[in-house]
Amino acid sequence: ASKIHGFGGRILGPGEPKYLNSPETSIFQKRSILYGLPEARSSIVRGRKAILVEGYTDVLALHQAGWSQTVATCGTSFTKEQATTLRRYADTVVLLFDGDTAGRKAAFKSADTALAAGLDVKIVRLPKGRDPADMLLDGEGSALSVAIDNAPGLVASMAEEVALRGDHREAKERALHHIQESL
């Protein structure tokens, strides 16, 4: 049975902090909890695939749009504990993070964590400055569906990242080094 661990909120307008959670306690440990897991568990088990997003609003929007296998971290980076929990139910995790530089960095960092837990990884590249909830609100559900369904694996995502860095040799070398370290 699901039990309340703590409370989390998100500001809907401008301001900081964007997200605010209950303080950590022996029961509410953000590094161990996946937001939406009790509601998503049966869908994840059925398809052996989970969608991981960055925020609560994304989880709510995706569930409403039919992606009931969606979960989020609770204001932390994707942790080893969360990945281990997810691995109990899924073989694959689709990382659906915001389409900005921070989102891309977080996706690749999360991919390393997921791989270490034994999960296959797919990474969705959203348009720059977009997040899943905004895309759904703006009527871009079809585009989001195509992006999720066609999400490349980790190595292909890294190769795409290298290609997008253009002629910046140092940036390409860092990305290629990351690929090598991840294999």
Side-chain angles (χ1 to χ4, degrees):
S2 300
K3 294 184 180 178
I4 295 173
H5 293 269
F7 293 93
R10 181 194 190 280
I11 192 167
L12 296 177
E16 293 294 326
K18 188 174 180 180
Y19 291 94
L20 188 60
N21 293 307
S22 296
E24 293 240 347
T25 67
S26 60
I27 295 171
F28 183 57
Q29 297 177 1
K30 294 185 287 186
R31 69 184 172 276
S32 301
I33 297 170
L34 287 163
Y35 178 79
L37 182 60
E39 295 77 16
R41 186 178 301 129
S42 64
S43 293
I44 293 170
V45 169
R46 190 170 34 261
R48 299 301 299 167
K49 182 177 2 180
I51 298 173
L52 180 69
V53 294
E54 292 183 87
Y56 311 137
T57 307
D58 295 324
V59 171
L60 296 172
L62 285 161
H63 274 252
Q64 288 175 345
W67 285 286
S68 57
Q69 71 275 41
T70 305
V71 296
T73 61
C74 292
T76 65
S77 296
F78 187 48
T79 66
K80 177 183 175 185
E81 294 89 350
Q82 292 165 334
T84 300
T85 297
L86 203 52
R87 180 63 184 102
R88 284 189 250 159
Y89 309 111
D91 299 320
T92 302
V93 62
V94 178
L95 302 175
L96 178 57
F97 290 6
D98 295 355
D100 56 15
T101 302
R104 295 299 292 167
K105 285 182 180 179
F108 287 113
K109 183 178 177 189
S110 297
D112 289 341
T113 303
L115 283 174
L119 288 158
D120 288 330
V121 176
K122 296 189 177 291
I123 300 177
V124 177
R125 176 181 283 281
L126 291 183
K128 189 171 184 125
R130 306 294 287 153
D131 73 34
D134 288 339
M135 289 182 72
L136 289 169
L137 284 173
D138 292 343
E140 299 175 60
S142 294
L144 185 59
S145 182
V146 168
I148 292 169
D149 291 344
N150 296 316
L154 178 59
V155 173
S157 292
M158 288 181 173
E160 182 180 77
E161 195 73 17
V162 169
L164 290 172
R165 294 183 185 212
D167 293 330
H168 303 288
R169 183 175 178 187
E170 278 185 44
K172 281 187 172 192
E173 286 175 357
R174 280 195 311 273
L176 289 169
H177 178 73
H178 187 82
I179 291 172
Q180 182 181 18
E181 292 295 312
S182 296
L183 297 177

